[in-house]
Amino acid sequence: MTSATPQRQFRAVAAFQLIAAIAGGFSILVGVLVLIGWWRDIDALQTILPGLIAMIPNTAVACIAGGVSLVLATRAERSARLQLSSRWFAGVMTTLGVLFFFERVTGISLGIDLLLFGDAVRPTPWLPPGRPAINSTIVMIADGLALLLVNFRTRRGWRPAEALSTVGALIAFTAIVGYLYRVQGSYSFGVDETGMALLTGVTLCVLSVGILFVRPDQGVVSLITAADPSGTMVRRLIPASFIVPIGLGGLWLLARDLDLVSHEMGVSAFVGAVIVTFLLLVMRAAAVVRKTDAERDELLGRAEGARAVAERAADKTERLRRTAEALSTALTPMAVARAIVAEGLPALGASASEVAVLSADGVVLELTAVSGLPSEVADAWRRFPVTSRVPLADAIRTTDSVLLTSPADIARRYPDLAPVLDRVNVRAMIVMPMLVDGRPMGSLAFSFNGPRVFDDSDLTFTRALGQQCAQALERARLFAAEQSARADAEAANRAKTEFLAMMSHELRTPLNAIAGYTELLELGISGPVSDMQREQLGRIRRSQRHLLGIIEDLLDLSRLEHGAPADIEMGAVPVHDTLGNLEALIAPQLRARNLTYIYNPSDGDLIAYGNRARVEQIVLNLLSNAIKYTAPGGRVGLSSGVHAGRVEIRVSDTGHGIPREKLDSIFEPFTRLEMDLTRTTEGTGLGLAISRHLARAMVGDLTVRSEVARGSIFTLTLPAEAPEPVDRGLGVTPPASMIAVPEDSIPLHRVRM
Ligand code: ADP
């Protein structure tokens, strides 16, 4: 059995199902009208169409039962109740058919023939009165069973309902044809007394066909409803297969009645006409198949074309992605241009490509990448003014694309250039400006060996490529600018360091001379020194020390700012050991300012990772600040501990504190707060800047918490163990030979007030 897949069904399957519903309705209508006709004794209703033979009431009842069952069956898919009702009516029809068939075959009356309108039926000429013809009973049984089995399928997919209703349709149709050709045997089934009425034949035929269409998407009927060429062909041929034989048969009978043809001649003419007509039908079917085939080929061709276009588009998208990827790492205009050429050429199927970059002053175009052109041509056009009458320059001046589709087009628009392009086999070109925010950065061109019409996708692709290229060029330009600015800054820094080194050397020599001579004078070697002179000599020495301290600080800072504290050797720093020694160094200042010092020693084994001398330098600086910026009678504290896996050294005071908004800036060099104590206290504003640089150079940090009028806590954080050897540009792993500050050399100048 052929069964079309649901997708290929004629879309209006519901419309075919309507045939079934209409057929059912028709059957009911005829049955009801006929019954009314018998009841009211109206001849016209018994025959429906004047001149036809009447349908007897029993047949009308069977037709109504069949019609109701059919109408319900079209809806039954959605409801089990409707399905049951449909089966019930089908059962009635089948039972009636079987009973009448039994009567006909056995001749035994079951007393049911005249149950309905018996008086009206009794006088009719058909015998026995009120009993349906045998062919009618067979159709009733066939259709009744078909309706009962309408949803049943065998395991191999057969639908018995189809076979049964086809049998019903054929018997009923044969009766109709019998009436048409006046062949009694066809409608009386060879029995003389009575036959199927024409109205019964029409009604049962319609009912049988209707049953075929209850499930239009299943079984053989699906061949008629199919949306593919087979369906089209079947739908076109079916009417012909009825009309042609019936029509020809009719003609033959007419000719015979008029004595126009002999019997033999009629038969041969009939055979000939049938052959010719069927040949024509076969030809027509072939033409239909050929046409649908051609349509399918065309559709296939179109689908193929669409797929090729989609594939090309996907290829271009992929190339744009790859270009973007390649461009993200291209840092020079040359690398940018090469990436563009490499991806653009194959995507467009071009034979040559050029990228021209506009000079910074916007006057000259420089060919940055060329592919597919002879080197002498590329060399001749290495640099050319933006005012030149060539496509690459035109695209920049007009900030629009230039499309040259054929040699004739080139010759018309660029007559001077045409011979050169002809010589290098360029027959078409697409040229795009490369713009960043509407500003031209250059242009790119793709050339082709043959004439070419550029479609939207070519334009979009080339434009996207141009945009990517422009942005990459802009990035490369910014990168180059940044590189040169960085080089300038580095050079300036080097000069500053050199200057500071030279200055410190130049200043230190006379300062040391001042210290030496002051000492000599103090010793009285050059003669006795009065008390007043001694006091003045003391001031000279303090000033000399202060100056020396400032110079040391400046040098330190300058070295640290360059991120090259190469003299810091990292190692284990025993915290308690280191901090415990500091009290002796600050004791005089503490006494002088009447401050209480509280040292809160950590666990004796606490080890930090850093440089001991630098740690001492930082803590000493913090302690001297705490002393400087705390009013007499206050407290200065030093403590240590471990927090979050890192060693913390805290210096606290009960001094005047630091306003919240200044907490960051005090770490900037030369920053001193405008406060009474600051004004009266010596200082350069370099100590904290140097300390934080040092702390960070040791992979630690220096932070502060403070509250105005209550005091401050400075916290130096250091690693508790050696960090992973990551090069952070801090140079924390210098060779031992580079250590400039011996472990035990505490820079005394920092303990100054
Ligand atoms: P200096 O002490 O030589 O001025 P620093 O860099 O050590 O330079 O300190 C910068 C500024 O931070 C100081 O001038 C002072 O105003 C403020 N400061 C530093 N430590 C404290 C502190 N413990 N209490 C209050 N202010 C402080």
Side-chain angles (χ1 to χ4, degrees):
M1 172 161 304
T2 315
S3 148
T5 56
Q7 297 94 304
R8 304 190 70 197
Q9 285 298 308
F10 192 60
R11 241 179 258 126
V13 160
F16 281 97
Q17 214 169 28
L18 205 61
I19 295 178
I22 291 171
F26 175 78
S27 191
I28 298 168
L29 187 71
V30 170
V32 170
L33 289 178
V34 166
L35 286 182
I36 295 173
W38 287 106
W39 175 39
R40 295 318 228 172
D41 199 16
I42 308 168
D43 279 357
L45 285 185
Q46 293 166 10
T47 61
I48 307 285
L49 289 172
L52 294 189
I53 306 155
M55 182 189 275
I56 55 167
N58 279 337
T59 311
V61 171
C63 285
I64 293 172
V68 173
S69 171
L70 179 55
V71 171
L72 293 174
T74 59
R75 315 254 138 218
E77 271 170 318
R78 278 173 245 153
S79 140
R81 208 162 54 87
L82 288 181
Q83 202 165 344
L84 205 68
S85 313
S86 169
R87 291 223 180 103
W88 192 86
F89 282 102
V92 170
M93 188 185 198
T94 316
T95 312
L96 286 176
V98 169
L99 294 179
F100 294 134
F101 181 78
F102 175 80
E103 285 187 328
R104 273 283 169 205
V105 173
T106 60
I108 302 168
S109 171
L110 296 175
I112 51 173
D113 299 354
L114 296 171
L115 276 182
L116 276 172
F117 316 117
D119 294 341
V121 175
R122 195 167 293 114
T124 53
W126 312 296
L127 292 172
R131 185 174 298 174
I134 185 137
N135 44 356
S136 300
T137 65
I138 296 173
V139 179
M140 284 175 205
I141 297 170
D143 282 359
L145 285 175
L147 283 164
L148 272 173
L149 299 171
V150 87
N151 290 324
F152 177 73
R153 272 164 171 264
T154 65
R155 224 180 294 149
R156 299 179 61 194
W158 286 79
R159 294 182 60 230
E162 272 186 343
L164 288 164
S165 54
T166 306
V167 167
L170 279 178
I171 295 173
F173 189 68
T174 309
I176 297 169
V177 174
Y179 280 105
L180 280 180
Y181 296 149
R182 274 162 280 147
V183 182
Q184 203 206 355
S186 294
Y187 54 82
S188 69
F189 242 44
V191 186
D192 279 345
E193 315 93 81
T194 189
M196 184 188 286
L198 179 54
L199 183 57
T200 307
V202 171
T203 311
L204 289 179
C205 188
V206 168
L207 187 71
S208 308
V209 172
I211 297 170
L212 274 175
F213 282 97
V214 181
R215 302 281 174 265
D217 54 339
Q218 294 173 13
V220 180
V221 182
S222 65
L223 281 177
I224 300 173
T225 60
D228 60 11
S230 67
T232 316
M233 204 168 79
V234 171
R235 284 195 292 278
R236 286 189 190 183
L237 288 183
I238 278 185
S241 59
F242 282 93
I243 294 165
V244 172
I246 294 175
L248 288 175
L251 278 177
W252 174 37
L253 287 177
L254 192 69
R256 198 192 58 185
D257 284 357
L258 296 173
D259 272 343
L260 291 177
V261 289
S262 69
H263 183 75
E264 292 75 18
M265 212 182 123
V267 171
S268 57
F270 180 76
V271 170
V274 168
I275 290 173
V276 169
T277 314
F278 271 95
L279 271 178
L280 287 174
L281 284 174
V282 168
M283 292 306 190
R284 182 158 162 63
V288 168
V289 171
R290 178 181 290 174
K291 189 164 158 249
T292 45
D293 230 36
E295 277 170 9
R296 201 196 54 201
D297 280 355
E298 197 203 314
L299 280 177
L300 274 178
R302 263 194 256 155
E304 195 71 13
R307 212 188 46 222
V309 169
E311 270 171 12
R312 273 207 304 279
D315 177 55
K316 283 179 177 161
T317 312
E318 169 60 16
R319 282 184 189 279
L320 279 179
R321 192 192 62 71
R322 283 217 304 264
T323 314
E325 213 171 78
L327 289 181
S328 65
T329 53
L331 290 175
T332 62
M334 184 78 86
V336 169
R338 283 204 182 126
I340 293 289
V341 169
E343 291 301 333
L345 262 182
L348 288 165
S351 56
S353 172
E354 306 94 58
V355 175
V357 176
L358 195 58
S359 60
D361 54 10
V363 175
V364 177
L365 274 169
E366 197 160 336
L367 275 192
T368 313
V370 181
S371 172
L373 283 185
S375 54
E376 68 272 14
V377 176
D379 287 343
W381 286 91
R382 190 58 63 196
R383 281 167 67 82
F384 53 95
V386 78
T387 49
S388 314
R389 277 286 294 138
V390 293
L392 277 169
D394 279 357
I396 289 184
R397 285 201 310 275
T398 59
T399 63
D400 201 0
S401 55
V402 178
L403 305 180
L404 300 168
T405 54
S406 64
D409 201 12
I410 296 174
R412 188 172 52 77
R413 293 170 59 187
Y414 296 97
D416 299 341
L417 199 62
V420 183
L421 293 182
D422 187 52
R423 197 152 41 78
V424 294
N425 209 13
V426 170
R427 306 273 183 265
M429 273 181 105
I430 181 168
V431 188
M432 268 297 160
M434 304 188 295
L435 308 171
V436 167
D437 303 329
R439 204 159 32 86
M441 306 287 296
S443 51
L444 81 158
F446 292 100
S447 317
F448 303 84
N449 280 340
R452 166 141 178 174
V453 178
F454 300 103
D455 59 16
D456 275 355
S457 100
D458 293 335
L459 272 172
T460 315
F461 174 73
T462 321
R463 195 167 292 130
L465 217 54
Q467 248 161 28
Q468 284 194 352
C469 187
Q471 274 156 10
L473 283 175
E474 177 73 349
R475 260 200 317 274
R477 195 180 63 74
L478 291 175
F479 179 73
E482 196 247 2
Q483 290 281 84
S484 107
R486 186 194 290 256
D488 287 353
E490 277 170 4
N493 260 332
R494 259 196 314 278
K496 190 177 98 184
T497 314
E498 279 161 17
F499 167 74
L500 282 173
M502 186 270 291
M503 187 192 75
S504 75
H505 178 76
E506 293 300 319
L507 289 180
R508 257 194 285 193
T509 318
L511 276 175
N512 285 337
I514 291 172
Y517 283 111
T518 314
E519 219 164 299
L520 284 179
L521 285 174
E522 277 180 333
L523 288 173
I525 293 171
S526 319
V529 183
S530 70
D531 286 350
M532 196 170 190
Q533 284 170 329
R534 194 170 295 283
E535 196 198 318
Q536 284 164 350
L537 282 172
R539 281 196 195 144
I540 291 175
R541 211 181 38 228
R542 277 200 298 281
S543 296
Q544 180 269 347
R545 266 209 202 152
H546 180 60
L547 217 50
L548 200 64
I550 292 176
I551 288 166
E552 295 291 340
D553 278 354
L554 271 174
L555 264 179
D556 243 12
L557 185 71
S558 137
R559 273 201 300 267
L560 288 166
E561 272 188 340
H562 288 118
D567 55 351
I568 299 182
E569 190 196 23
M570 301 288 281
V573 179
V575 177
H576 175 52
D577 218 33
T578 310
L579 303 187
N581 287 336
L582 299 181
E583 186 172 356
L585 294 169
I586 52 166
Q589 285 78 27
L590 285 167
R591 256 196 314 280
R593 292 188 68 85
N594 188 24
L595 295 171
T596 314
Y597 178 69
I598 304 162
Y599 175 47
N600 207 345
S602 64
D603 123 48
D605 299 333
L606 185 62
I607 299 285
Y609 189 78
N611 177 291
R612 182 171 178 159
R614 295 307 195 170
V615 172
E616 281 172 348
Q617 179 182 339
I618 296 169
V619 178
L620 215 47
N621 182 39
L622 295 176
L623 284 172
S624 24
N625 275 353
I627 295 167
K628 279 197 294 186
Y629 303 116
T630 304
R635 284 190 309 275
V636 171
L638 175 63
S639 64
S640 58
V642 178
H643 181 75
R646 291 165 76 79
V647 173
E648 284 188 355
I649 297 171
R650 291 174 292 269
V651 175
S652 57
D653 63 58
T654 54
H656 61 54
I658 302 154
R660 179 181 291 269
E661 68 278 7
K662 302 283 186 197
L663 286 177
D664 276 337
S665 61
I666 53 167
F667 291 99
E668 301 290 327
F670 306 110
T671 305
R672 306 199 72 213
L673 299 185
E674 280 297 313
M675 289 190 177
D676 289 350
L677 272 173
T678 317
R679 267 192 291 278
T680 55
T681 318
E682 236 176 38
T684 55
L686 287 173
L688 287 179
I690 292 171
S691 298
R692 180 173 263 185
H693 272 299
L694 279 174
R696 290 184 177 171
M698 292 186 287
V699 204
D701 205 356
L702 178 60
T703 52
V704 64
R705 280 187 295 133
S706 183
E707 215 174 300
V708 174
R710 303 216 39 188
S712 318
I713 303 174
F714 284 82
T715 307
L716 166 66
T717 319
L718 289 169
E721 54 197 52
E724 293 292 307
V726 186
D727 181 11
R728 291 176 30 171
L730 294 166
V732 291
T733 51
S737 62
M738 293 183 77
I739 300 169
V741 184
E743 291 272 307
D744 55 352
S745 84
I746 294 174
L748 272 179
H749 72 274
R750 295 181 199 281
V751 197
R752 62 184 184 271
M753 303 293 289

